[in-house]
Amino acid sequence: PAAVYLLGLSLFAIGSSEFLIAGVLPLVAGDLGVSLPTAGTLISAFAIGVVVGAPPLALLRAVVTAD
């Protein structure tokens, strides 16, 4: 079941990317010239983007591949 392994890898990549930015957050805040809490909203924005964007993209993929 290659699809199951691909799904697992995708979930790992999405989860890891949120933790990765948390580790380099002080550097990101310094580069952007903003405070650490302000830069921390990037993590929330990314998570919200994943939650809001994933279902429509999954439906669009299902429609495109159904044809």
Side-chain angles (χ1 to χ4, degrees):
V4 174
Y5 294 123
L6 185 60
L7 180 62
L9 179 65
S10 300
L11 290 173
F12 175 76
I14 290 172
S16 297
S17 63
E18 290 179 18
F19 289 116
L20 173 75
I21 192 69
V24 295
L25 197 57
L27 297 173
V28 172
D31 285 347
L32 294 176
V34 297
S35 67
L36 196 58
T38 302
T41 58
L42 289 174
I43 298 173
S44 298
F46 175 76
I48 291 169
V50 169
V51 167
V52 171
L57 287 176
L59 289 174
L60 179 64
R61 170 124 167 72
V63 169
V64 169
T65 58
D67 292 335

